[in-house]
Amino acid sequence: MSNLSRRSFIRRLSFTGIVGAGAVMVGCGGGGESATEMPLEEVPDVGMAADESFSCMDTSGLTPAEAAMRTTLEYTDTSPETDKNCKNCVLYEVPVEGSDCGTCQTVKGPIHPLGYCTIWAALPA
């Protein structure tokens, strides 16, 4: 008999679906015209204090399910670990020109370069 609770099972199942959906979205690509992405070198440095310059916590344009997913994945504008932040996560997409917040392949809404969530995955070396 497994010690896996129903809550743990659902959380694992949800995470697997999220990662799978993210991989599918990456493979599909965009197709249309998009704004120019900011070069990664111009994205704010890790030494910058996230709460002193700008915030990417606005969820007003998200569906209730998308906002709930941000909460479930514990997204925050400031990483609790200095070496793990959105800017060095494989899922992070740099801001378009004229914006401070980037996006994420999995977490919907604005994403701070120094942010963090529980599905952070390191960029390949």
Side-chain angles (χ1 to χ4, degrees):
M1 180 95 185
S2 173
N3 289 333
L4 187 65
S5 71
R6 183 186 320 186
R7 178 174 284 155
S8 295
F9 173 77
I10 292 171
R11 182 173 282 159
R12 287 183 185 180
L13 181 64
S14 296
F15 177 75
T16 303
I18 290 167
V19 172
V24 169
M25 287 188 287
V26 170
C28 291
E33 291 285 322
S34 63
T36 305
E37 287 186 352
M38 178 186 305
L40 191 57
E41 306 83 52
E42 293 179 22
V43 176
D45 289 328
V46 175
M48 180 188 70
D51 56 351
E52 293 178 10
S53 59
F54 60 93
S55 173
C56 299
M57 296 299 289
D58 180 18
T59 59
S60 60
L62 302 180
T63 66
E66 291 168 338
M69 184 57 67
R70 281 175 72 101
T71 302
T72 299
L73 297 176
E74 301 174 23
Y75 172 77
T76 180
D77 270 1
T78 307
S79 178
E81 301 181 45
T82 57
D83 60 334
K84 293 181 180 179
N85 57 65
C86 295
K87 187 176 174 182
N88 64 21
C89 176
V90 71
L91 299 171
Y92 181 68
E93 297 176 351
V94 297
V96 295
E97 202 169 303
S99 177
D100 292 325
C101 301
T103 58
C104 177
Q105 296 171 16
T106 305
V107 179
K108 300 298 179 201
I111 303 294
H112 198 289
L114 303 179
Y116 176 82
C117 79
T118 57
I119 60 170
W120 177 89
L123 283 169

